[in-house]
Amino acid sequence: MSRRRVVVTGMGAITPIGIGLEDYWQGLIEGRNGVCLISKFDASSFDTKFAAEIKNYDPSLWFDKKSVKRMDPYAQYAVLTADMALKDSGINLEKVNLERFGAVIGSGIGGMDTNQKQHFAYFQGGASKISPFFVPMMISNIAAGHIAIRFGVKGPNYATTSACATGSHAIADAMMLIERGSADIMFAGGSEAAITEMAIGGFNSLTALSTNNDNFQKASRPFDKNRDGFVMGEGAATLVLEEYEHAVSRGARIYAEIVGIGLTDDAYHMTAPSPGGEGAVRSMREAVKDAGIALEQVDYINAHGTSTPYNDLNETLAIKTLFGDHAYKMLVSSTKSMTGHLLGAAGAIEAVASIKALQEGIVPPTINLEEPDPECDLNYCPNLAVKKDITYALSNTFGFGGHNASLLFKKF
């Protein structure tokens, strides 16, 4: 069976550095810093007192009062970015087969804010205080369900959950569904809203978060010698993926083609990457092999680049192991330096960054890279965006549990 081509025809994003696709992209190329002191709760007793929060978000601008009360923020972000992506795609819902239009929307944690608030309600007032909407607000598949209901799309519909690789897995799944002929159009992406007491406290207990409270705007510093952990972010991104002939037949504007995916696992440790990034080597290799191109054709890697000691070193080693001398010729950057780490939404917002880099011929920078780690010696585009025409961009995401996902996009 011949393989159906899959292209990206719409994108929407809500991130700590911008709401909407153009504001997000402008923030990336400007090197905008999304990190701030936590305003969502009193963080004074926590080891980490900062995060990358979304700024100026007013749900009443997009949702009615009833919907706001019945949708966890993570679901709101997912629906909002799907609406943005649909409008961006130019798709007229009355002129497409809605039974062949689906959604794969992932979340690493789901409705954590709802879960926490309902626990507080129970312990303060007993079982009668638990909301009847608690379960449907909390579960990690409900964002995809809301999107189906809102837009009437009746094709394949579900969630992916693979920690920090979630958003990339959602895009990979949606691509495969179109390739095999199960759908013609798919919403695909990830959403997260986990800046809560329990999440910050939990990651603090893991010693995974930066505690650089005195200089928090420079705390997210991938590949820097003085990095001490990641900075949590929140937000979402949704892509509209479409079968190539379907997109052409309606005269769609095509951003890029998704030509390769690589999905592997370390089978090594719950939270630490395998030594030398062995699993990452295999996921990148599989993505390039899937695309049918040479390693030397990859121009840019949007790195997982979390600003943790282990990830940045092992990802660098993985890139050098796979690409050899070419590793020093291509561009690499971590946009988490600006947005923080959006957990289950990271793969989605970073796919958008990779696609825009292809379209615009501009590679976003790695900000806060002031004193490079001697063992992290690639061209990470330190502090300033780089203008360069690129044809292939690889986006990496790696998650707790050893999950690795690499997506390869081609300029259209």
Side-chain angles (χ1 to χ4, degrees):
M1 185 176 67
S2 62
R3 176 166 158 172
R4 302 199 328 159
R5 295 170 65 185
V6 181
V7 294
V8 180
T9 57
M11 297 189 287
I14 176 168
T15 78
I17 62 170
I19 295 178
L21 178 61
E22 292 310 317
D23 192 25
Y24 170 48
W25 174 244
Q26 193 62 35
L28 286 173
I29 61 175
E30 288 177 1
R32 192 179 299 165
N33 195 319
V35 181
C36 58
L37 292 172
I38 292 171
S39 66
K40 294 178 178 291
F41 61 89
D42 180 2
S44 59
S45 64
F46 289 78
D47 292 337
T48 297
K49 308 179 195 313
F50 55 91
E53 295 182 345
I54 293 170
K55 285 79 175 170
N56 305 313
Y57 173 70
D58 181 357
S60 68
L61 296 176
W62 291 286
F63 304 99
D64 59 38
K65 289 182 179 180
K66 185 182 291 186
S67 295
V68 172
K69 286 185 177 181
R70 297 180 180 182
M71 293 173 68
D72 186 88
Y74 103 91
Q76 294 176 28
Y77 301 159
V79 171
L80 172 58
T81 56
D83 185 62
M84 292 175 177
L86 182 67
K87 291 173 179 173
D88 186 48
S89 74
I91 290 173
N92 183 339
L93 293 175
E94 295 180 356
K95 294 184 178 181
V96 297
N97 184 349
L98 296 179
E99 292 183 1
R100 295 188 58 77
F101 192 159
V104 183
I105 305 294
S107 182
I109 299 177
M112 192 160 198
D113 184 61
T114 294
N115 194 355
Q116 179 177 288
K117 286 177 178 175
Q118 290 300 304
H119 273 77
F120 289 167
Y122 166 70
F123 285 115
Q124 291 169 1
S128 64
K129 296 297 183 181
I130 299 173
S131 168
F133 299 103
F134 167 44
V135 172
M137 287 177 68
M138 176 193 69
I139 50 181
S140 59
N141 67 298
I142 207 65
H146 277 299
I147 287 169
I149 294 166
R150 187 178 183 97
F151 302 109
V153 296
K154 299 181 178 181
N157 186 287
Y158 58 92
T160 54
T161 299
S162 50
C164 308
T166 293
S168 295
H169 274 121
I171 294 167
D173 274 20
M175 173 193 178
M176 290 188 285
L177 286 165
I178 294 173
E179 276 188 333
R180 75 187 300 273
S182 296
D184 296 322
I185 316 169
M186 294 291 297
F187 287 118
S191 184
E192 207 77 88
I195 301 176
T196 65
E197 290 93 328
M198 292 304 294
I200 296 294
F203 281 110
N204 270 160
S205 294
L206 270 175
T207 65
L209 291 179
S210 169
T211 56
N212 190 1
N213 296 297
D214 292 335
N215 199 11
F216 60 86
Q217 283 216 312
K218 291 183 180 288
S220 187
R221 47 196 312 127
F223 309 109
D224 190 275
K225 180 181 179 180
N226 297 309
R227 65 192 185 277
D228 72 326
F230 78 85
V231 177
M232 189 180 293
E234 61 176 351
T238 301
L239 284 63
V240 171
L241 302 188
E242 196 167 350
E243 191 273 324
Y244 171 72
E245 297 292 347
H246 189 281
V248 170
S249 69
R250 67 177 187 84
R253 180 265 331 278
I254 296 174
Y255 280 110
E257 183 173 1
I258 178 168
V259 291
I261 57 174
L263 313 174
T264 68
D265 196 274
D266 292 350
Y268 172 72
H269 189 273
M270 278 196 308
T271 58
S274 54
E278 179 271 339
V281 171
R282 288 184 289 110
S283 71
M284 291 188 289
R285 179 188 292 129
E286 285 301 310
V288 174
K289 179 182 176 182
D290 192 35
I293 66 170
L295 291 168
E296 291 74 23
Q297 290 178 266
V298 177
D299 303 298
Y300 167 56
I301 296 179
N302 186 293
H304 188 51
T306 57
S307 187
T308 59
Y310 286 123
N311 174 85
D312 296 1
L313 172 60
N314 283 284
E315 187 172 12
T316 297
L317 290 172
I319 293 169
K320 292 194 287 189
T321 297
L322 179 61
F323 290 95
D325 290 342
H326 183 62
Y328 294 94
K329 298 175 184 177
M330 60 185 172
L331 300 175
V332 180
S333 69
S334 173
T335 48
K336 288 184 180 73
S337 59
M338 295 172 274
T339 66
H341 190 348
L342 271 64
L343 309 179
I349 69 163
E350 289 159 19
V352 171
S354 301
I355 291 164
K356 287 295 289 182
L358 288 169
Q359 182 197 28
E360 303 290 344
I362 305 174
V363 171
T366 304
I367 68 168
N368 299 325
L369 183 48
E370 298 172 340
E371 189 176 351
D373 184 333
E375 294 186 274
C376 297
D377 57 350
L378 302 178
N379 183 355
Y380 304 109
C381 307
N383 302 305
L384 293 172
V386 176
K387 289 186 178 182
K388 183 178 181 181
D389 288 332
I390 56 176
T391 303
Y392 290 98
L394 187 66
S395 180
N396 284 336
T397 45
F398 313 129
F400 284 179
H403 309 300
N404 307 302
S406 299
L407 305 176
L408 186 60
F409 298 97
K410 180 183 181 182
K411 183 177 181 178
F412 192 82

